[in-house]
Amino acid sequence: MSFEADVDDVLGIKDLHGRLVATGSRQGALLKMIAVDAEYQSSELFSELINALISCGYQAGIENFFVYTKPSQYHSFTALNFHLLCTSEHVALLEYGRGINRYLQQHAPLQRVGDNGGVVVNCNPFTLGHRYLIESAAAIVDWLYVFVVEENCSSFPFDVRFDLVKKGVAHLSNVSVLPTGPYAISQVTFPDYFLNNSTLAREQQVQIDIQLFGRYLAPAFSIKHRFVGFEPYCATTSAYNNALQGQLPQYEIELCQFARIESDQGAISASQVRQLLMQHSFDNLSQLVPETTLKFLTSSKFFKQVHLDPKFRRH
Amino acid sequence: MEIQSKARAGTMQSSDVVVFVEPADQLTIEIESTVLKQFEHLIRQRIEQQLATLEVTRGLIRVSDRGALDYAIDARIETAVRRSMEG
């Protein structure tokens, strides 16, 4: 465990002598940096601490909480009615509030039986490349589910990205578009805080992310195929695709990688689009994005809702 | 009484129960408990009784129980329902 400053609440409990005997923090829906002095570990201090962290979260409007712990320690959380979502070799992910059940119930009307496929996309923003991937995938499955990453870590806010995906695939009759919730590519499924060794940490995170897809999302929507675009630029995405290739078969899901379509400037990517936008060169955009996205990019809404920052927000 | 907004009562301490209520068209009771296998039917019965006493006929009621006794269940349910009416 290591200290991270980027949290919303930090709580501590002191004994009568003023000595710190328990501490825990909350970053959004994620509880972290939880530690209780060995002397107090059999007491009610732990539940008091977690209770206080969750109360803070409720006041901030959060109703569903997550925690990572060692697989050997998860019982202390299930004793508080946390539910074990999945475990990898080094970490266990637990949830408080049964959010996964609610998420699946909420989207139950979209469930269809068949030889279905799924894609998980950020679409920051929706390009001709995304459209090509979705069209190609939809052509070979009964029904295609497009999960749009809900986490707001991108220059285009979720509502905008979601709307552009919906408009961009409206011509396809066997496609549903839905949000990922926190259950794919989110702050929860990709926490970089838990393990110090960063390569190991990334591997564990990817495992958790793929497990959530394989164990919860895919069975609910009868997904037997997952589609990704071949990733020529980003090392993280490329490593993620390799991990999918290795791990999806154990859930009886087949991974299909599609080559990217190209424009005059090489493979089409959303980062290319953002670069052009930052240079205010709107002329070449029509080669990269469909009409629906172009309409948004040239509207006044674009300037109000999107803030491009060259320094971060790669995706 | 009518559940008018989201509200919560109780703690995660042992022998206590956390009750969450929110408005809904139907009455639904969801129970999580560390003693679910042994006592779910009794917990549910007690919650239904208390809701009937309070004349609550609809809403989503979620309880996360750690072995609370009947009077604790009653008190937490009533508090959560009353809080939901304070807006």
Side-chain angles (χ1 to χ4, degrees):
Chain A
M1 185 155 47
S2 58
F3 177 76
E4 289 158 85
D6 188 17
V7 289
D8 299 310
D9 288 305
V10 183
L11 302 182
I13 301 177
K14 289 179 175 178
D15 69 5
L16 291 172
H17 311 290
R19 190 170 62 97
L20 187 69
V21 291
T23 183
S25 304
R26 179 183 69 84
Q27 177 189 18
L30 201 56
L31 309 184
K32 45 171 51 173
M33 297 188 287
I34 294 163
V36 177
D37 190 294
E39 210 180 301
Y40 288 87
Q41 276 176 6
S42 56
S43 74
E44 277 289 307
L45 221 54
F46 176 69
S47 58
E48 206 166 308
L49 177 73
I50 303 301
N51 186 62
L53 281 173
I54 283 179
S55 298
C56 293
Y58 278 117
Q59 274 162 24
I62 295 163
E63 296 179 354
N64 207 51
F65 298 87
F66 299 90
V67 69
Y68 277 91
T69 187
K70 290 182 194 146
S72 59
Q73 304 268 306
Y74 78 81
H75 293 288
S76 33
F77 287 97
T78 51
L80 302 181
N81 286 321
F82 277 73
H83 291 268
L84 185 64
L85 282 178
C86 50
T87 49
S88 70
E89 201 184 329
H90 299 278
V91 295
L93 174 63
L94 296 102
E95 180 179 48
Y96 185 76
R98 293 248 180 184
I100 187 86
N101 293 7
R102 286 167 162 240
Y103 172 84
L104 294 176
Q105 265 167 28
Q106 199 186 336
H107 298 292
L110 297 176
Q111 288 176 2
R112 282 163 183 270
V113 182
D115 191 35
N116 299 339
V119 293
V120 180
V121 286
N122 194 28
C123 292
N124 183 35
F126 187 80
T127 64
L128 288 173
H130 297 121
R131 195 175 77 177
Y132 171 75
L133 173 70
I134 290 168
E135 280 174 348
S136 315
I140 55 178
V141 293
D142 291 338
W143 200 266
L144 183 73
Y145 294 94
V146 178
F147 296 90
V148 182
V149 172
E150 195 164 353
E151 197 72 61
N152 252 330
C153 289
S154 304
S155 7
F156 287 75
F158 169 71
D159 294 346
V160 171
R161 286 184 288 115
F162 193 73
D163 189 51
L164 291 180
V165 176
K166 279 198 119 166
K167 286 184 175 141
V169 304
H171 61 293
L172 299 166
S173 57
N174 65 333
V175 173
S176 297
V177 183
L178 65 168
T180 56
Y183 303 108
I185 327 271
S186 69
Q187 302 259 22
V188 171
T189 66
F190 272 76
D192 48 28
Y193 75 96
F194 190 79
L195 298 158
N196 289 324
N197 177 331
S198 67
T199 322
L200 185 62
R202 193 171 298 153
E203 270 172 31
Q204 298 291 314
Q205 287 157 25
V206 167
Q207 264 188 44
I208 292 284
D209 189 84
I210 297 172
Q211 255 194 62
L212 282 172
F213 185 82
R215 290 179 58 172
Y216 298 96
L217 303 186
F221 300 100
S222 307
I223 294 171
K224 321 271 189 344
H225 312 270
R226 177 146 168 191
F227 301 92
V228 294
F230 176 73
E231 178 55 55
Y233 305 124
C234 170
T236 310
T237 309
S238 165
Y240 179 75
N241 287 353
N242 286 339
L244 282 173
Q245 182 87 59
Q247 289 169 45
L248 284 179
Q250 59 183 297
Y251 305 102
E252 290 171 19
I253 301 166
E254 178 202 24
L255 182 76
C256 313
Q257 290 206 38
F258 286 117
R260 294 220 179 184
I261 50 165
E262 307 209 348
S263 72
D264 299 346
Q265 292 98 36
I268 292 178
S269 75
S271 58
Q272 231 175 5
V273 174
R274 295 195 301 277
Q275 214 156 25
L276 287 177
L277 288 169
M278 275 186 284
Q279 296 159 0
H280 300 283
S281 65
F282 288 83
D283 298 344
N284 297 321
L285 282 176
S286 60
Q287 279 191 31
L288 305 177
V289 300
E291 192 61 35
T292 43
T293 302
L294 193 64
K295 205 171 151 195
F296 173 80
L297 295 177
T298 49
S299 73
S300 60
K301 278 192 219 152
F302 168 66
F303 294 99
K304 277 185 212 141
Q305 295 177 11
V306 179
H307 303 283
L308 295 164
D309 187 329
K311 288 199 201 73
F312 57 105
R313 296 178 169 174
R314 275 185 319 126
H315 292 285
Chain B
M1 284 192 256
E2 177 90 26
I3 293 165
Q4 285 167 9
S5 62
K6 287 184 182 180
R8 186 177 70 106
T11 75
M12 293 170 108
Q13 298 279 14
S14 182
S15 304
D16 200 350
V17 56
V18 189
V19 176
F20 309 86
V21 299
E22 62 179 89
D25 293 335
Q26 293 167 334
L27 184 65
T28 312
I29 301 170
E30 287 178 9
I31 300 171
E32 295 176 304
S33 174
T34 48
V35 290
L36 195 72
K37 284 195 187 100
Q38 303 93 314
F39 296 117
E40 183 179 5
H41 60 295
L42 290 176
I43 298 169
R44 186 172 294 275
Q45 207 175 19
R46 191 70 190 197
I47 295 168
E48 282 169 354
Q49 262 175 28
Q50 176 65 337
L51 289 172
T53 309
L54 298 171
E55 292 174 15
V56 173
T57 54
R58 53 190 183 166
L60 172 62
I61 318 292
R62 290 196 296 135
V63 304
S64 174
D65 166 71
R66 290 192 71 205
L69 295 173
D70 288 350
Y71 60 83
I73 295 175
D74 285 351
R76 296 310 192 190
I77 294 271
E78 183 171 349
T79 307
V81 170
R82 287 188 184 279
R83 280 181 182 161
S84 85
M85 297 167 65
E86 287 167 6

